[in-house]
Amino acid sequence: MQSTLLNFLFLFIIALTIALSYSNTLNSPFVFDDDQIFYNELKLTELSLESLKKIIFKETKVSKTRFIPNLSFAFTYYFFGPNIKYYHLGNILIHILASFALFFLLKEFLLFFNSSCNTLKYSLIAFISTLIWSLHPINTNVVTYTVQRMTSLAALFIFLSLIFYLKLKQLMPADSFKRKLSFFLLFIISTLFAIFSKQIGALILIFILVFEIILLKNVTKRNLIFILSLCFIFILVGLFYTNIWNIIVNGYETREFSLVERIFTQTRVVLHYLSLWFFPNAERLTLFYDFKLSQNLLYPITTLVSFLFWFLLFSLIVYLNKKNKKYCFIITFFLVAHLIESTIIPLEIIFEHRMYVPSAFLGIIITEPLISFFSRRSFVIVSLFLILFLSFGTYTRNTHWKSNITLWEDALDKAPKNNRIYNNYGVYLLNERNDFERASILFKLGYDSNPHDITIASNHLITTLMSNNHSLFESLWKDYKTLIKDKKKLPYEPIINVSAALISFERYEEALYVISRIKKKDSTLLLFSGHAYRMLGDYHLALSDLQESLRLGNRRAKGELHELYILMDH
């Protein structure tokens, strides 16, 4: 009874401190085009089986394979409409639930090694460790950045899955079959929900394999065969589910870094994540980075330093496997949790939200030594100071999310060479503030910084066209043609935007050249090319493209075809 009341008290404090730390985020804006995703693509207006199917199987920018967060966004819209406050409340609530799950996971994890010791001590360690994780400023990029609900949902189900796994491990032979089956089914359901929240959920079986190998004193051959078989099945399913080989092979075609550069750079990136976690400072956190690529082991020289660090850390893992298996698992868990997002898959180089799951156990490394070396009074004082420091850091970091202006200005101040900031800030000013002049300046600054970036080059070309500066446009167009000609694979959205702009300014030949650079054309590009051919008098090609656009479901092609038939009759 006393233990239950203490757990409720701990959970209440966790929820209260999270709510206070994130109380200034309820009106924080959506970033990028998240509002279009939530209000259009994931808009649920009626509760029916058919509408739910559409949400589950709909391919969105969030990803159709992540239907658990998709459904959560859809239900947010259904119950509360387009009110941004409730999207943020949903994120905060999920973060609180993930923190609750982590508390019980850490408690089970610690008691697994110390079942005969004072449970109050390890409950306290789990409580403080959870507060460190839940209030850490680095997690604002998950909680406050609305679309990253997929990360917090994946974490919630990963933690639940590991809890049920530990419960299964502690069942006695005398326990009923019904009890064993219940925990096993809960484990399977949590694992599937984690995977369908975000692909990182597929690492659950790897976590368990690590636990079996590192932590258990008597690993039976049967246990290992069972776990390895499950891993193999999940890996096969994962390969099919994510189409990973195609992503790896083709993904680097649109990136400005190679596979080798990414791997070398990630040794520094993950080390940077660790520095942010152990030395939290809200002023070091940002949505985007100027992170120099590692071209080889010696350039930049910090690449060699990072390799030496990881060599020492792996050596420490080997040592701890004999001396302290608990800490061995914590460090290995951190590394394994980065396998998907920080190794060979051609994702963006760095994002702080990638620390959300990997940092789950790190609080133990801080809290356990504190409770061992300090007196009870000193431990309470140090813990209170640490929690207040982290909470203040989170609240401070969230002030940068107050508006799109404050967010992008903060990002620009911390990463002035990052083209995505210039581009996204410029798009926001152009579309939401109708500030053509400032948007044009940002696109030009970004283009001057990196003229090989397709997205920023496209937006700079469009705003130059809109400004009627014909001589500058002709110069930029010449460079743009060379740029898109040399690219093996072009990003879709910039090509669509440039094509639309060129057609609206009756530059049909230029538009057709841009469209020709996309090998597989969709209904929109075919509509554009059909319109351009019609305006140039090439009715045969116009008819072919417009009919194909209509066949692919573009209703706007009907009007174009009607106009074309009138011209052809004459």
Side-chain angles (χ1 to χ4, degrees):
M1 183 66 179
Q2 187 178 4
S3 176
T4 302
L5 288 174
L6 189 62
N7 284 342
F8 273 117
L9 177 62
F10 285 163
L11 295 180
F12 174 76
I13 293 171
I14 290 169
L16 180 63
T17 52
I18 291 174
L20 291 173
S21 299
Y22 285 92
S23 60
N24 60 339
T25 67
L26 296 182
N27 294 309
S28 296
F30 292 131
V31 295
F32 307 122
D33 54 355
D34 289 351
D35 55 338
Q36 297 301 314
I37 296 173
F38 302 144
Y39 295 164
N40 296 332
E41 297 183 18
L42 298 175
K43 180 180 179 180
L44 185 65
T45 54
E46 61 173 342
L47 200 57
S48 65
L49 187 61
E50 192 61 33
S51 59
L52 289 176
K53 278 183 180 178
K54 287 180 181 178
I55 295 296
I56 290 171
F57 297 107
K58 187 178 183 66
E59 184 163 8
T60 69
K61 290 184 179 180
V62 175
S63 170
K64 69 175 180 179
T65 56
R66 301 175 181 180
F67 67 82
I68 299 297
N70 284 2
L71 281 172
S72 78
F73 288 128
F75 278 115
T76 302
Y77 187 93
Y78 177 77
F79 287 111
F80 305 108
N83 189 330
I84 193 170
K85 182 181 295 184
Y86 292 100
Y87 285 88
H88 285 298
L89 281 172
N91 274 31
I92 294 169
L93 176 61
I94 291 167
H95 183 54
I96 289 172
L97 293 175
S99 300
F100 287 176
L102 180 61
F103 167 69
F104 287 110
L105 172 60
L106 296 182
K107 187 177 174 181
E108 289 290 332
F109 175 76
L110 290 164
L111 291 175
F112 186 85
F113 300 95
N114 305 277
S115 56
S116 60
C117 295
N118 184 358
T119 57
L120 177 60
K121 174 184 175 181
Y122 293 100
S123 294
L124 189 58
I125 293 173
F127 168 60
I128 299 299
S129 300
T130 301
L131 279 175
I132 290 172
W133 179 83
S134 62
L135 299 177
H136 202 291
I138 200 171
N139 288 335
T140 54
N141 267 23
V142 173
V143 186
T144 312
Y145 185 11
T146 323
V147 79
Q148 285 305 327
R149 182 181 296 185
M150 64 187 77
T151 302
S152 53
L153 278 170
L156 168 61
F157 293 117
I158 287 171
F159 300 158
L160 288 174
S161 182
L162 294 176
I163 289 170
F164 297 132
Y165 162 71
L166 288 175
K167 289 288 188 184
L168 276 169
K169 296 302 297 181
Q170 295 175 67
L171 289 175
M172 304 299 291
D175 286 310
S176 67
F177 173 76
K178 185 178 179 181
R179 183 175 172 81
K180 293 175 182 176
L181 181 62
S182 298
F183 280 126
F184 179 73
L185 289 177
L186 287 170
F187 165 75
I188 294 296
I189 292 168
S190 298
T191 301
L192 290 174
F193 272 50
I195 292 171
F196 288 114
S197 293
K198 196 175 183 181
Q199 285 83 346
I200 192 175
L203 292 174
I204 289 171
L205 271 295
I206 309 296
F207 295 145
I208 292 173
L209 180 62
V210 168
F211 192 89
E212 290 283 346
I213 292 172
I214 294 178
L215 297 181
L216 297 184
K217 296 176 182 177
N218 299 309
V219 182
T220 65
K221 185 176 180 182
R222 185 177 178 181
N223 274 350
L224 278 180
I225 291 173
F226 174 71
I227 296 297
L228 287 170
S229 300
L230 277 178
C231 283
F232 180 70
I233 292 169
F234 268 78
I235 287 169
L236 287 180
V237 171
L239 291 176
F240 173 77
Y241 161 66
T242 59
N243 195 19
I244 191 70
W245 297 122
N246 185 53
I247 292 172
I248 292 172
V249 171
N250 299 323
Y252 284 96
E253 291 181 3
T254 55
R255 293 296 185 186
E256 295 184 349
F257 49 82
S258 66
L259 172 61
V260 173
E261 285 175 330
R262 176 174 170 78
I263 292 172
F264 276 39
T265 306
Q266 287 305 307
T267 63
R268 294 165 44 233
V269 168
V270 179
L271 187 56
H272 178 72
Y273 291 150
L274 276 175
S275 77
L276 290 176
W277 201 89
F278 282 102
F279 304 100
N281 181 350
E283 294 306 313
R284 294 181 64 206
L285 302 174
T286 180
L287 194 57
F288 293 113
Y289 281 83
D290 287 338
F291 211 91
K292 185 180 289 187
L293 293 174
S294 293
Q295 297 178 9
N296 53 56
L297 194 59
L298 299 177
Y299 185 80
I301 193 62
T302 48
T303 310
L304 179 60
V305 175
S306 65
F307 266 90
L308 291 173
F309 173 83
W310 294 117
F311 173 76
L312 292 173
L313 190 68
F314 280 113
S315 301
L316 180 62
I317 289 173
V318 174
Y319 172 78
L320 289 175
N321 190 39
K322 297 177 181 179
K323 299 293 183 180
N324 192 325
K325 290 181 177 293
K326 178 169 54 182
Y327 280 36
C328 180
F329 174 79
I330 291 171
I331 297 171
T332 308
F333 178 92
F334 171 81
L335 295 174
V336 170
H338 279 293
L339 278 178
I340 289 180
E341 296 180 312
S342 300
T343 52
I344 62 173
I345 300 175
L347 303 172
E348 293 290 340
I349 289 294
I350 179 169
F351 273 126
E352 290 164 7
H353 69 255
R354 293 173 187 166
M355 274 292 282
Y356 195 75
V357 172
S359 63
F361 287 85
L362 292 181
I364 294 174
I365 295 176
I366 295 174
T367 309
E368 197 167 40
L370 286 179
I371 205 169
S372 298
F373 295 124
F374 284 97
S375 65
R376 183 179 299 179
R377 183 180 177 183
S378 298
F379 174 75
V380 170
I381 293 171
V382 172
S383 298
L384 184 61
F385 172 79
L386 181 59
I387 297 310
L388 288 174
F389 172 73
L390 292 173
S391 180
F392 178 75
T394 292
Y395 191 91
T396 302
R397 173 58 186 154
N398 282 327
T399 60
H400 296 139
W401 289 80
K402 183 179 179 180
S403 69
N404 272 289
I405 298 292
T406 57
L407 180 64
W408 292 123
E409 286 291 344
D410 174 71
L412 195 59
D413 182 56
K414 293 170 181 175
K417 295 180 182 177
N418 189 303
N419 267 17
R420 290 191 69 181
I421 301 171
Y422 289 105
N423 183 69
N424 288 296
Y425 193 8
V427 168
Y428 167 75
L429 291 172
L430 192 62
N431 295 340
E432 303 298 327
R433 293 298 185 95
N434 200 27
D435 192 340
F436 177 82
E437 185 177 349
R438 287 180 67 194
S440 300
I441 292 170
L442 287 167
F443 292 144
K444 184 180 184 306
L445 288 170
Y447 180 76
D448 291 343
S449 173
N450 184 4
H452 301 292
D453 185 309
I454 290 287
T455 304
I456 200 75
S458 299
N459 285 331
H460 184 40
L461 184 74
I462 291 168
T463 50
T464 303
L465 182 62
M466 292 169 66
S467 68
N468 291 317
N469 190 334
H470 299 294
S471 60
L472 179 58
F473 172 81
E474 293 300 334
S475 173
L476 287 174
W477 170 246
K478 192 180 297 182
D479 294 335
Y480 190 79
K481 279 181 68 177
T482 304
L483 180 63
I484 63 175
K485 181 182 178 181
D486 293 341
K487 291 280 185 180
K488 291 182 181 179
K489 189 176 180 181
L490 294 169
Y492 175 77
E493 193 169 337
I495 296 301
I496 279 284
N497 293 339
V498 169
S499 303
L502 290 168
I503 286 173
S504 67
F505 280 85
E506 300 182 1
R507 289 182 171 269
Y508 303 117
E509 291 182 357
E510 290 94 333
L512 287 171
Y513 179 82
V514 172
I515 294 168
S516 71
R517 300 303 303 151
I518 298 290
K519 293 178 182 178
K520 189 177 180 180
K521 299 174 182 61
D522 67 355
S523 63
T524 303
L525 284 173
L526 287 165
L527 176 72
F528 288 170
S529 60
H531 175 81
Y533 282 129
R534 177 171 73 84
M535 298 307 293
L536 290 172
D538 195 333
Y539 299 154
H540 176 71
L541 288 176
L543 182 64
S544 174
D545 284 1
L546 291 172
Q547 286 178 336
E548 181 63 13
S549 176
L550 184 63
R551 188 188 70 80
L552 292 173
N554 195 323
R555 294 181 181 179
R556 291 170 59 195
K558 281 186 178 180
E560 287 285 343
L561 281 168
H562 177 71
E563 295 290 333
L564 180 62
Y565 290 145
I566 293 173
L567 290 171
M568 291 175 74
D569 286 341
H570 285 82

